[in-house]
């Protein structure tokens, strides 16, 4: 891989992780202001994100090859699985613990599935990532039920499977098309469950702006960037970049909502940055 290609790939993965971090704040605000269940928020995210990405495609239809259609269906199913499992874990535990478990477990699963004999620097990066997430988000006295733990690990497995699957390109299906049709498919699959929780929203400017932002920025743009970055990066590096989501969310919460980060949390943030640096500069060969 040439250095410019590697640099563009790394930049795309970093962009995706940071934008995902803004999605947590936007989704939380949308749920509060519209009175939506987390599953409804997740479904709006997928449906609006898919619609926005489809508009950018400028009328390009769904690829008609059987391989492309199978890929879209698989991506849509994994989107729905990941979102539903994650929000189930949140409901049974807490946002911080569910996020820490999901994002912390995903790089480990990808490493075990894609690398027969991980290099020393890969192991250092994965272990440091998990340690940083623990320091960043763990609070004494918080506990996760076995049900919450199970759903968080299921969400991690869904994200890991999505990372491994989309790392292999399909003819006629670029990252934007995969994002557009995958999100729409996932949103439709999740719709029956989300509708049960009531998806009605007040037609207020701030609520509609949050819906549009959640679908466009941390979904359509972020997933398109992530899939584009995976095209030239090892899947382990892609999974590691996802840890920028809780890191960005924690910093934004401190800056915009006045939530104070403890010294331990700031240490965790520093460990995360160091772990990502190791992953980017010492990547596994493809």
């Amino acid at each position: 891989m040439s250095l410019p290609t590697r640099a563009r790939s790394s930049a795309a993965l970093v962009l995706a992780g940071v934008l995902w971090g803004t999605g947590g704040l936007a989704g939380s605000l949308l749920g509060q202001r519209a009175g939506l269940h987390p599953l409804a928020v997740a479904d709006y995210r997928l449906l609006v994100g898919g619609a926005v990405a489809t508009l950018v495609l400028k009328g390009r239809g769904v690829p008609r090859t059987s391989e492309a259609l199978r890929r879209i269906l698989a991506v849509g199913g994994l989107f729905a699985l990941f979102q539903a499992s994650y929000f189930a874990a949140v409901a049974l535990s807490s946002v911080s613990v569910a996020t820490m478990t999901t994002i912390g477990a995903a790089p480990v699963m990808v490493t075990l599935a894609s690398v027969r004999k991980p290099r020393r620097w890969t192991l250092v990066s994965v272990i440091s990532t998990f340690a940083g997430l623990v320091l960043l988000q763990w609070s004494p006295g918080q506990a996760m039920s076995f049900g919450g733990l199970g759903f968080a690990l299921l969400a991690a497995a869904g994200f890991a499977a999505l990372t491994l699957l989309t790392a292999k390109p399909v003819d006629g299906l670029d990252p934007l098309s995969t994002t557009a049709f995958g999100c729409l498919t996932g949103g439709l699959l999740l719709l029956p469950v989300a509708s049960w929780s009531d998806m009605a929203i007040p037609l207020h400017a701030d609520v509609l702006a949050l819906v549009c932002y959640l679908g466009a920025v941390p979904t359509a743009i972020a997933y398109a960037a992530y899939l584009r970055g995976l095209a030239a990066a090892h899947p382990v590096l892609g999974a590691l970049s996802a840890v920028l989501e809780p890191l960005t969310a924690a910093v934004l919460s401190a800056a915009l909502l006045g939530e104070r980060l403890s010294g331990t949390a700031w240490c965790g943030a520093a460990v995360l940055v160091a772990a990502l640096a190791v992953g980017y500069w010492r990547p596994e060969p493809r």
Side-chain angles (χ1 to χ4, degrees):
M1 185 193 307
S2 66
L3 183 58
T5 300
R6 181 178 159 190
R8 288 195 298 270
S9 171
S10 298
L13 293 174
V14 168
L15 175 64
V18 171
L19 293 183
W20 282 334
T22 70
L25 182 60
S28 178
L29 290 173
L30 176 60
Q32 292 173 11
R33 296 185 181 183
L36 291 175
H37 188 277
L39 281 176
V41 173
D43 203 33
Y44 271 119
R45 178 177 186 173
L46 290 176
L47 291 173
V48 176
V52 170
T54 301
L55 288 175
V56 177
L57 289 175
K58 297 179 180 179
R60 277 189 284 164
V62 181
R64 297 187 180 276
T65 65
S66 59
E67 187 179 10
L69 292 174
R70 285 196 300 269
R71 171 61 61 86
I72 290 171
L73 184 60
V75 168
L78 289 172
F79 272 142
L81 173 66
F82 171 68
Q83 293 289 338
S85 300
Y86 172 72
F87 284 110
V90 169
L92 292 171
S93 56
S94 68
V95 174
S96 60
V97 176
T99 303
M100 181 194 72
T101 305
T102 300
I103 301 300
V108 178
M109 292 180 179
V110 172
T111 301
L112 293 175
S114 64
V115 183
R116 289 187 176 181
K117 188 178 180 181
R119 297 197 304 177
R120 178 179 59 185
W121 288 110
T122 297
L123 293 175
V124 168
S125 186
V126 169
I127 293 171
S128 299
T129 295
F130 185 76
L133 283 166
V134 171
L135 291 173
L136 179 66
Q137 299 197 46
W138 188 261
S139 297
Q142 279 189 321
M144 173 176 280
S145 67
F146 287 112
L149 176 61
F151 277 115
L153 292 176
L154 185 59
F159 184 81
L162 178 70
T163 298
L164 292 170
L165 178 70
T166 52
K168 301 174 183 178
V170 169
D171 289 339
L173 200 59
D174 58 24
L176 185 58
S177 298
T178 303
T179 300
F181 302 127
C183 282
L184 286 176
T185 302
L188 291 174
L189 290 172
L190 198 56
L191 187 59
V193 181
S195 298
W196 174 77
S197 66
D198 188 6
M199 294 184 64
I201 59 173
L203 299 180
H204 299 162
D206 57 341
V207 172
L208 295 177
L210 284 169
V211 170
C212 292
Y213 178 86
L214 186 62
V217 180
T219 307
I221 296 175
Y223 274 109
Y226 184 68
L227 298 181
R228 186 171 296 280
L230 282 180
H234 196 281
V236 173
L237 182 57
L240 286 171
S241 70
V243 303
L244 287 169
E245 177 181 355
L247 176 59
T248 302
V251 172
L252 285 176
S253 295
L256 301 178
L257 302 180
E259 296 180 3
R260 293 187 177 183
L261 294 180
S262 65
T264 301
W266 283 114
C267 288
V271 171
L272 278 179
V273 172
L276 282 171
V278 170
Y280 285 123
W281 291 106
R282 297 281 187 174
E284 284 281 347
R286 287 183 66 85

